[in-house]
């Protein structure tokens, strides 16, 4: 690992953290309609909320939005209509068939690449001053800046991989694999993990850049290539890199199903009332 906090301290201030925002999903669970990231919340597309939320963190410089392949020009012009602080630069690149692929394409575009497949030297840190990368779901538009800052601070304090998380409130059951049974039958329970030891993870997940790039490269070319991980930290974890959790936030929830849209609208309405005071 190349992490070296003392070397970082000598480098110039803001803008050393880049953000990849995977926004290329369709939003199947939300129901038919425009791609999820482009659906409005309080009259503004979810993606715009997500970009603004990340741009609020003063360490953030480059932001790469990974858009549905057919919507890159539309997303570019949408985002051009919403000004960001001068320290923030924005690229929009086409995504892939899975979240993992979309993130890999976004990572390749941070250094000014075309967003294509990462080359053989992708893990050699490019000389663009970016040493920390956050990966943030467009589908978590309301994450507070304090959560973003806490993730960045933990990476800058020396952790190679940092994930915001909350205790699980529902008891969770593990069920048998679906293979040998009729999906119409009730599902047999095989175990009940102890709830106190479980955490539900959120984004932004923060990484030492070289660690994340190497993990994504290994996920394409390595021995375990093809095994899907549902988050970036999972890819890093399977390579034996320690992953730590910091406290997440209730408002960093993921908009997945229709009810989540109602919750998001309610959070926005409460914020605008609070702003009015
Ligand atoms: N994502 C992506 N590329 C994909 C799939 C997902 O960039 N091929 C992004 C989504 O746009 C979203 C984030 O990954 O911001 C988390 O994924 P999820 O909440 O599952 O969104 P969707 O895949 O769009 O939703 P669904 O699974 O219901 O279709
Ligand atoms: Mg999905």
């Amino acid at each position: 690992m190349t992490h070296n906090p003392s070397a970082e301290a000598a480098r110039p201030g803001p803008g050393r953290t880049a953000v990849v925002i995977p926004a290329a999903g369709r939003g199947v669970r939300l129901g038919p309609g425009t791609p999820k990231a482009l659906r409005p919340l309080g009259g503004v597309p979810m993606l715009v909320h997500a970009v603004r939320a990340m741009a609020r963190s003063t360490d953030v410089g480059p932001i790469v939005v990974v858009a549905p392949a057919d919507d890159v020009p539309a997303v570019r012009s949408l985002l051009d209509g919403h000004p960001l602080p001068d320290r923030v630069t924005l690229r929009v690149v086409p995504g892939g068939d899975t979240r993992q692929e979309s993130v890999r394409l976004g990572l390749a575009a941070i250094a000014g690449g075309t967003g294509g497949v990462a080359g053989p030297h992708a893990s050699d840190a490019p000389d663009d001053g970016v040493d920390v990368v956050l990966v943030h779901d467009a589908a978590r538009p309301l994450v507070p800046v304090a959560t973003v800052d806490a993730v960045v601070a933990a990476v800058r304090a020396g952790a190679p991989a940092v994930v915001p998380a909350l205790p699980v409130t529902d008891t969770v059951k593990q069920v048998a694999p679906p293979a040998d049974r009729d999906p119409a039958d009730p599902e047999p329970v095989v175990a009940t993990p102890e709830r106190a030891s479980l955490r539900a993870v959120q984004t932004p997940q923060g990484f030492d850049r070289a660690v994340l790039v190497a993990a994504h490269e290994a996920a394409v070319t390595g021995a375990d290539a093809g095994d899907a991980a549902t988050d970036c930290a999972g890819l890093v974890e399977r390579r034996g890199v320690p992953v730590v959790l910091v406290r997440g936030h209730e408002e960093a929830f993921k908009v997945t199903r229709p009810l989540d849209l109602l919750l998001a609208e309610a959070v926005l309405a409460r914020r605008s009332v609070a702003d009015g005071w």
Side-chain angles (χ1 to χ4, degrees):
M1 198 181 71
T2 56
H3 203 79
N4 181 346
S6 59
E8 280 165 9
R11 287 161 59 176
R16 293 175 299 156
T17 295
V19 185
V20 173
I21 302 186
R26 305 306 305 179
V28 172
R29 288 169 289 179
L30 205 52
T34 29
K36 180 162 73 177
L38 303 180
R39 298 200 204 188
L41 273 186
V44 176
M46 212 180 295
L47 174 62
V48 173
H49 288 284
V51 170
R52 282 178 174 162
M54 304 308 291
R56 244 171 240 135
S57 180
T58 54
D59 204 48
V60 166
I63 297 181
V64 179
V65 168
V66 190
D70 294 340
D71 297 318
V72 172
V75 167
R76 177 81 243 185
S77 61
L78 168 74
L79 292 170
D80 284 346
H82 296 272
L84 293 168
D86 286 346
R87 75 185 135 73
V88 173
T89 58
L90 192 68
R91 294 174 69 91
V92 181
V93 299
D97 288 341
T98 63
R99 180 185 185 277
Q100 189 174 308
E101 200 184 338
S102 293
V103 172
R104 189 170 54 85
L105 294 168
L107 276 176
I110 291 173
T114 58
V117 176
H121 302 298
S123 60
D124 297 342
D127 189 21
D128 56 12
V130 170
D131 52 1
V132 172
V133 175
L134 304 180
V135 180
H136 181 62
D137 292 330
R140 297 182 189 271
L142 303 181
V143 60
V145 68
T147 306
V148 184
D149 287 342
V151 171
V152 173
V155 181
R156 295 223 168 271
V162 178
V163 176
L166 288 175
V168 172
T169 52
D170 290 325
T171 294
V172 175
K173 301 284 184 195
Q174 189 181 346
V175 295
D180 313 319
R181 58 195 167 76
D182 185 334
D185 289 343
E187 294 181 293
V189 169
V190 297
T192 305
E194 190 201 348
R195 189 175 65 189
S197 70
L198 297 175
R199 301 288 180 269
V201 305
Q202 304 179 326
T203 72
Q205 300 189 349
F207 304 90
D208 175 279
R209 181 188 192 172
V211 164
L212 184 62
V213 170
H216 273 271
E217 214 176 297
V220 177
T221 59
D224 54 3
D227 296 352
T230 52
D231 68 347
C232 292
L235 287 183
V236 165
E237 208 178 308
R238 69 165 69 143
R239 289 165 57 79
V241 177
V243 176
V244 296
L245 306 184
V246 295
R247 191 162 178 91
H249 196 285
E250 279 186 336
E251 294 180 5
F253 67 93
K254 185 155 71 74
V255 175
T256 305
R257 290 170 291 240
L259 197 57
D260 299 322
L261 282 176
L262 294 182
L263 181 59
E265 294 285 1
V267 170
L268 278 179
R270 191 183 63 189
R271 284 184 187 176
S272 71
V273 169
D275 287 350
W277 286 85

